[in-house]
Amino acid sequence: MRIISANVNGIRSAYKKGFHQYLAASGADIVCVQELKAQEADLDDSMKAPHGMHGVWHCAEKRGYSGVALYSKREPDRVQTGMGIAEFDAEGRFVQADFGNLSVISLYLPSGSSSEERQQVKFRFLEAFYPMLRELQIQGRDIVICGDWNIAHQNIDLKNWKGNLKNSGFLPEEREWIGKVIAELGWVDIWRTLYPETPGYTWWSQRGQAYAKDVGWRIDYQMATPALAERARSAHVYKQEKFSDHAPLVVDYDYPL
């Protein structure tokens, strides 16, 4: 089973850059997309169900903002859109699809980089999401949460860590939170578990020549429950084409869908 997570920074823009063709050739069984920046009415058939896949999505109320989607070769048995928290559901940040004992979630965690107000929104999200992560973990299901978590956990996860110690995405409180998600709740960071010493950057600032110089951040994760994580066999960050300021994170699991 191949699962891809990709922040497309606008699905219409990504499609113009070849993302639709990439999906056809990717061999993906499930694709989690973040930052649609589109309303449902803006999504054409190829964006709702690319190449015959089943699609579910959760768009933000605000036009041209946020939004997540999930595509799958197999039709889900059950779908949940939203977290049940009005403040965050208005921004289209969570969609879950269940396939038998497997649950896959496409997540777009708020960024706090634009203002102190947005940083406080991010902190509120972390506070609300933590007990949800605990509840998910104790369900006994195989679960993977794919998406843009907007937090680099460790120094290895961003090139210029010394210069970002006071910046959103690498704040001590954020790093401590994601550390607890792993150490206390038992979620497994697939990339870092498979490749302990490989940075695995998935996002690059559009300022300067960050992408060309590979001055990146690893903020896109596939976080899985332990039993599913044990079946992760390999992963890669797809950089042969550039669809947005993020690159797709691809993980292969020895798991029948």
Side-chain angles (χ1 to χ4, degrees):
M1 176 179 66
R2 171 167 287 187
I3 300 180
I4 296 177
S5 183
N7 180 315
V8 293
N9 193 14
I11 192 165
R12 288 168 290 182
S13 172
Y15 264 47
K16 291 176 183 177
K17 297 172 183 175
F19 187 68
H20 186 240
Q21 289 83 353
Y22 164 69
L23 292 182
S26 67
D29 295 290
I30 299 173
V31 181
C32 296
V33 173
Q34 303 85 42
E35 212 168 353
L36 295 174
K37 291 187 173 181
Q39 311 303 114
E40 184 171 350
D42 301 322
L43 302 174
D44 64 26
D45 290 344
S46 71
M47 297 171 185
K48 290 181 176 179
H51 310 294
M53 299 180 89
H54 298 274
V56 294
W57 49 87
H58 187 206
C59 299
E61 293 177 5
K62 180 180 176 181
R63 293 196 65 81
Y65 182 72
S66 190
V68 293
L70 189 151
Y71 306 124
S72 58
K73 286 185 176 178
R74 173 179 158 184
E75 184 176 0
D77 302 321
R78 176 182 173 273
V79 170
Q80 175 185 335
T81 55
M83 302 164 59
I85 302 172
E87 177 183 14
F88 307 124
D89 290 350
E91 296 188 345
R93 297 193 173 276
F94 181 101
V95 65
Q96 175 178 332
D98 297 342
F99 310 87
N101 196 52
L102 173 70
S103 293
V104 182
I105 294 167
S106 183
L107 173 76
Y108 182 36
L109 201 147
S111 169
S113 60
S114 62
S115 68
E116 179 56 32
E117 178 184 2
R118 290 305 301 175
Q119 184 63 45
Q120 293 307 313
V121 171
K122 185 176 186 179
F123 283 142
R124 289 198 297 274
F125 187 100
L126 298 183
E127 184 178 3
F129 195 44
Y130 193 85
M132 289 185 63
L133 288 167
R134 180 188 294 114
E135 290 300 315
L136 287 166
Q137 183 69 264
I138 64 178
Q139 287 179 8
R141 297 177 58 79
D142 295 321
I143 305 174
V144 58
I145 305 174
C146 305
D148 179 358
W149 291 63
N150 265 313
I151 300 170
H153 181 206
Q154 300 170 318
N155 294 351
I156 191 176
D157 295 321
L158 70 169
K159 185 74 169 182
N160 183 20
W161 65 268
K162 290 182 179 179
N164 283 286
L165 291 169
K166 296 182 179 180
N167 290 335
S168 180
F170 201 57
L171 295 174
E173 305 97 312
E174 297 170 336
R175 298 171 65 197
E176 180 182 10
W177 180 88
I178 208 163
K180 287 182 177 179
V181 167
I182 295 167
E184 296 185 7
L185 297 185
W187 289 90
V188 179
D189 176 353
I190 297 296
W191 179 273
R192 188 52 65 225
T193 301
L194 288 173
Y195 309 114
E197 299 180 0
T198 303
Y201 305 141
T202 59
W203 175 81
W204 298 262
S205 170
Q206 304 208 56
R207 299 175 182 173
Q209 292 186 307
Y211 188 80
K213 296 179 179 178
D214 201 25
V215 181
W217 294 53
R218 188 177 74 94
I219 56 177
D220 300 87
Y221 297 82
Q222 293 196 26
M223 288 278 196
T225 47
L228 179 59
E230 288 181 2
R231 302 177 78 164
R233 294 293 175 256
S234 62
H236 68 271
V237 178
Y238 181 80
K239 292 184 66 181
Q240 284 84 340
E241 300 170 90
K242 193 171 188 290
F243 310 116
S244 79
D245 50 348
H246 292 251
L249 171 62
V250 185
V251 179
D252 291 321
Y253 297 86
D254 181 13
Y255 192 100
L257 180 62

